[in-house]
Amino acid sequence: MELDALDRALLRELQNDARQTNRELAARTGVAPSTSLERVRLLRERGVITGYHAALDLDVAGRPVQALISVRVRPPARPVIEGFREWAARLPEVIGLFVTSGPHDFLIHVAVPDVDGVYAFVIDRLTERREIADVQTTMVYEHVRSPRIEPAAPDRPRTARRSR
Amino acid sequence: MELDALDRALLRELQNDARQTNRELAARTGVAPSTSLERVRLLRERGVITGYHAALDLDVAGRPVQALISVRVRPPARPVIEGFREWAARLPEVIGLFVTSGPHDFLIHVAVPDVDGVYAFVIDRLTERREIADVQTTMVYEHVRSPRIEPAAPDRPRTARRSR
DNA sequence: TTTGAAACTCATGCGGC
DNA sequence: GCCGCATGAGTTTCAAA
């Protein structure tokens, strides 16, 4: 599973704009269109690229208010954790969900039309669930997503010396 | 800025697969290709769709370990907040960043090759910054992103009665 | 593996509805 | 506003290097 310079360049380009034509992609990465086409096909096949997704503007889409809801469930056992995760991930307010270590078990990222929506989510939606032991709300003033995630550098071939 | 049923269907489809052909899109949404093409063009022009992005598998890309780093900066004034945000968002380990209310000012989502990478991020990277007053690390066991974000329902036209 | 060209599919703009 | 068709652009395949 090695990614060479061309794979990295293609990943950078496709994270930036997944709908550019294969010709543009080829021109930007300095190869023939048939080469970039084949490489991108392999990246998908190997599972490096999991999909292509349109990004929405939450403000324009009428959901400008974001919050992070910390939730502790009881008991913190697998069926409880997984059950809650599946339920929460399907709620329309939820745009992301972390299962975490620490005093809470979940951090739920919600986007709603207004501050009332946050309150309603917490006191209407979450209270449906009996396994919830604690809830704590944090408002999100701003959410920045990294526009380019780079694959980790592959392990260097090891020589006899541990370091130099 | 109203989004009708067709707009919503197109957004759903394009969030699911942004690279399907316009013909598929038209077939799935039950309109002619020229119609879906024009609607999608308008959705982009109006800023509802902000872009199309390839999604990477972090495990396959060699960055299977995720953490959330809470950071408090001092003083919590605009130039300090913005300066830190710009700096942090550019670090290669960072895949997302929240500016938040509450006891901390930032929640930084990082993805690294191993647990050492989390520790190195905290004690090597973050210590470069003098404005940091407090740091707290939470490990991420799992991160789920919602596959479909729906636009908020538009406000109902108001009648004289408040409710029925 | 990469390439260039051939065959085919698709996007795109416009006139009619 | 939506559709269907014509045209040009883009994708995809494959034999050769």
Side-chain angles (χ1 to χ4, degrees):
Chain A
M1 173 56 61
E2 296 294 297
L3 299 170
D4 66 13
L6 176 56
D7 292 321
R8 286 160 185 279
L10 292 168
L11 288 173
R12 204 180 331 110
E13 285 299 329
L14 289 173
Q15 284 182 83
N16 193 249
D17 179 7
R19 283 202 103 176
Q20 61 189 301
T21 65
N22 183 59
R23 294 192 158 194
E24 289 167 335
L25 201 56
R28 277 195 241 270
T29 54
V31 292
S34 42
T35 302
S36 67
L37 192 74
E38 174 67 359
R39 287 296 195 105
V40 171
R41 195 185 62 74
L42 284 171
L43 286 170
R44 274 230 68 168
E45 208 167 68
R46 292 197 282 170
V48 182
I49 294 173
T50 60
Y52 304 98
H53 309 284
L56 291 222
D57 186 308
L58 289 172
D59 293 348
V60 178
R63 294 173 60 179
V65 173
Q66 295 178 48
L68 289 165
I69 321 284
S70 301
V71 173
R72 188 164 68 84
V73 294
R74 184 189 54 184
R78 183 177 290 272
V80 178
I81 296 283
E82 292 183 351
F84 183 81
R85 181 193 65 202
E86 295 308 311
W87 175 81
R90 276 168 178 66
L91 298 176
E93 296 91 343
V94 172
I95 62 176
L97 180 156
F98 299 87
V99 185
T100 63
S101 70
H104 293 93
D105 302 306
F106 293 93
L107 193 66
I108 307 177
H109 184 196
V110 301
V112 289
D114 48 41
V115 175
D116 279 352
V118 178
Y119 193 44
F121 180 80
V122 173
I123 68 173
D124 295 331
R125 294 282 205 191
L126 289 184
T127 49
E128 288 177 22
R129 302 293 289 194
R130 299 264 300 285
E131 68 268 49
I132 293 183
D134 189 34
V135 175
Q136 205 169 299
T137 302
T138 301
M139 297 304 301
V140 173
Y141 298 134
E142 196 174 356
H143 180 212
V144 183
R145 292 195 56 210
S146 170
R148 26 171 116 168
I149 297 172
E150 287 175 29
D155 283 358
R156 293 272 173 187
R158 299 290 179 205
T159 62
R161 279 179 296 178
R162 298 283 297 277
S163 59
R164 86 153 254 123
Chain B
M1 175 54 62
E2 295 293 299
L3 298 170
D4 67 12
L6 176 55
D7 291 321
R8 287 160 184 279
L10 292 168
L11 289 173
R12 202 177 337 106
E13 284 299 329
L14 289 173
Q15 285 182 84
N16 193 248
D17 179 7
R19 286 201 100 177
Q20 61 189 300
T21 65
N22 182 58
R23 297 195 148 175
E24 288 168 335
L25 201 55
R28 278 196 241 270
T29 55
V31 293
S34 46
T35 303
S36 67
L37 191 73
E38 174 66 1
R39 287 297 194 101
V40 172
R41 194 186 64 72
L42 285 171
L43 287 170
R44 275 231 66 168
E45 207 167 68
R46 292 195 282 170
V48 183
I49 294 173
T50 60
Y52 305 98
H53 309 283
L56 292 220
D57 185 308
L58 289 172
D59 293 349
V60 177
R63 294 171 62 178
V65 173
Q66 296 179 47
L68 289 164
I69 321 284
S70 299
V71 172
R72 188 165 67 84
V73 295
R74 184 188 55 185
R78 184 177 288 273
V80 177
I81 297 283
E82 291 184 350
F84 183 79
R85 181 192 65 203
E86 295 308 312
W87 175 80
R90 277 169 177 67
L91 298 177
E93 294 91 344
V94 173
I95 62 176
L97 181 153
F98 298 88
V99 186
T100 64
S101 69
H104 292 95
D105 303 304
F106 293 93
L107 193 66
I108 307 176
H109 184 196
V110 300
V112 288
D114 48 40
V115 176
D116 279 353
V118 178
Y119 193 43
F121 180 80
V122 174
I123 67 174
D124 296 331
R125 293 281 204 194
L126 290 183
T127 50
E128 287 175 25
R129 303 291 291 194
R130 298 265 301 284
E131 68 269 47
I132 293 182
D134 188 33
V135 175
Q136 204 168 302
T137 302
T138 301
M139 297 304 301
V140 173
Y141 298 134
E142 196 173 357
H143 180 213
V144 183
R145 292 194 55 209
S146 170
R148 26 171 115 165
I149 298 172
E150 285 173 32
D155 282 357
R156 292 273 173 185
R158 298 290 177 206
T159 62
R161 279 180 292 177
R162 298 284 296 278
S163 59
R164 95 157 244 122

